[in-house]
Amino acid sequence: MGYVECHCHLLPFVDDGVKTKDQALSVVASYKEAGFDTIVTTPHLYNPQVATQVNHIRGMYNWLKGECSRIGIDLILGSETYVGSSYSPKNIPFLGNFVLVEVDALVEPLFLLNYAYTLIKNGHYVILAHVERYNWFSETSVVMNKLRDMGVFFQSNSDAVLDGKVDSYIEKNLIDIIAGDNHGDIKIPGQLAACMQLHPTILQNMNRLFNK
Ligand SMILES: [Fe+2]
């Protein structure tokens, strides 16, 4: 049974992730070597700081899925959907019902409560990406606690876990998922696998969530 990477940017010519097909293949090979058998690639959607070539997503995904299947990796298409206050974005859910969302780092996203509520009501599981990046995210944040009560899952990036930045959240069982948020670095798969070994409870939780 292999590990799951559920947040990364491995489609070339799409967003600020990998730049070339060769780079995508190297990164995928490094996931294989580190013991992963499932990768969810999550191109940015609606992020105001990232220009996403949405028209390239399907073609690049189909190409990379074929390359991955040759080495025994299941590549799944998802998205990392930026949610703002003034619109209701569409997203690409993965494994049928998981939705990965990100928000602005500085402003406490009250609007996310509505957005997440609607998704959950419609049968989705909501994952909030890289929670360590948000200034507003804390154990006393009203929004954080409401999201938690609603059943939103919190994801942390492997570099934050290894740097000890989320230790207090992990101690309080606030981190459900660790992911690489890989934009083209062949070292991240090994680091992410090390995180899983360091935190077996989170790994078990992820395996249960993703039906592994
Ligand atoms: Fe990301």
Side-chain angles (χ1 to χ4, degrees), residues 79-97:
S79 60
E80 178 178 12
T81 303
Y82 184 98
V83 183
S85 59
S86 56
Y87 55 91
S88 291
K90 291 195 166 54
N91 39 57
I92 304 171
F94 68 89
L95 293 175
N97 51 7

Side-chain angles (χ1 to χ4, degrees), residues 7 9 42 44 80 102 130 181 183:
H7 178 177
H9 303 266
T42 52
H44 287 285
E80 178 178 12
E102 63 172 337
H130 38 58
D181 195 6
H183 284 65

Side-chain angles (χ1 to χ4, degrees), residues 1 8 13 17 24 53 60 64 76-77 88 95 99 103 114 116 134 143 147 163-164 177 182-183 190 202 204:
M1 192 168 69
C8 60
F13 320 118
Q53 303 301 318
M60 285 298 104
L64 191 58
I76 295 165
L77 181 62
S88 291
L95 293 175
V99 173
V103 292
N114 262 340
Y134 307 125
V143 168
L147 291 171
D163 290 348
I177 293 166
N182 197 334
H183 284 65
I202 297 178
Q204 276 170 20

Side-chain angles (χ1 to χ4, degrees), residues 3-149:
Y3 298 122
V4 179
E5 164 67 285
C6 71
H7 178 177
C8 60
H9 303 266
L10 301 190
L11 303 181
F13 320 118
V14 166
D15 61 8
D16 58 349
V18 302
K19 296 284 177 278
T20 65
K21 286 185 165 183
D22 282 349
Q23 189 186 14
L25 295 177
S26 312
V27 175
V28 160
S30 68
Y31 276 102
K32 177 72 183 173
E33 202 180 311
F36 288 77
D37 66 6
T38 307
I39 301 175
V40 184
T41 190
T42 52
H44 287 285
L45 295 180
Y46 305 100
N47 185 316
Q49 269 124 38
V50 181
T52 301
Q53 303 301 318
V54 179
N55 54 328
H56 289 168
I57 290 177
R58 285 283 163 188
M60 285 298 104
Y61 168 66
N62 289 338
W63 164 75
L64 191 58
K65 187 172 178 60
E67 297 293 330
C68 283
S69 71
R70 259 185 247 187
I71 59 168
I73 285 183
D74 187 16
L75 183 74
I76 295 165
L77 181 62
S79 60
E80 178 178 12
T81 303
Y82 184 98
V83 183
S85 59
S86 56
Y87 55 91
S88 291
K90 291 195 166 54
N91 39 57
I92 304 171
F94 68 89
L95 293 175
N97 51 7
F98 286 90
V99 173
L100 178 70
V101 301
E102 63 172 337
V103 292
D104 187 81
L106 303 176
V107 185
E108 190 163 49
L110 281 168
F111 49 84
L112 186 57
L113 299 175
N114 262 340
Y115 185 75
Y117 175 80
T118 306
L119 280 172
I120 290 167
K121 206 175 64 178
N122 290 328
H124 289 286
Y125 295 121
V126 177
I127 302 170
L128 181 61
H130 38 58
V131 294
E132 64 278 358
R133 209 177 275 180
Y134 307 125
N135 289 4
W136 56 267
F137 191 95
S138 75
E139 285 153 40
T140 54
S141 153
V142 171
V143 168
M144 187 289 275
N145 281 292
K146 287 202 165 152
L147 291 171
R148 200 65 182 157
D149 290 345

